[in-house]
Amino acid sequence: MLALLSGLSLLGCRDEAAPPIRIVLGPAAQDEVTLVPKAALAELIEISPTESELQLTFSSVERGCDAPVTSSPDSVTLAVRLHLPGGAKLDPGRYPVAEPNPPSEANPVADKPHALASVRLHGRRTELRPGGDLELHQVDATPQGTVDGLLKLDYAGDAEHAATRVSGRFSAHFCRINRLR
């Protein structure tokens, strides 16, 4: 009976831990890591009456809402920015990963809600190329709220760029909500 209770308590602790996020930035073994976030933070920033952004930061280093992002050679940080132009609201849904450029034939989603992402690994920052999407399953944009979802960022690679992938469930709590009104 004691072994059963111990096993159940371990399962309970495991459920409270942040879900792991798998990151692959290239073909070499040192380009792969499983990030188990010690900090999972969200910020909602209204840039103008018709434009806002959700910024998600997942870090292997513990940090509070007001602490600056610190990086060491062995730390891992994933930053995802969801751009919401044209009065789009922060709602559950699927948002594609796009180029960080203005709208064009090559980048038609830049004037629609879209995500951008970067990873800091081994002291080097890598902007992720377009592909895949950010899924938001639940959004509670209040000071004690959370945002939950799924990362499915996937770039197949080409002759000049290695394939990349960031995948996993996430839950981040809101640190800051900056509204214009």
Side-chain angles (χ1 to χ4, degrees), residues 81 97-103 107 109-110 114-117 127-130:
R81 187 173 76 210
V97 177
E99 289 281 349
N101 300 321
N107 191 23
V109 299
H114 62 277
L116 305 167
E127 295 284 334
L128 298 182
R129 303 203 48 86

Side-chain angles (χ1 to χ4, degrees), residues 18 24 35 51 66 75 77 101 108 116-117 119 124 126 128 139 142 146 172 179:
V24 179
L35 169 62
E51 187 176 15
D66 295 324
S75 67
T77 303
N101 300 321
L116 305 167
V119 174
R124 185 185 75 215
T126 303
L128 298 182
V139 176
T142 62
T146 60
R179 299 196 189 273

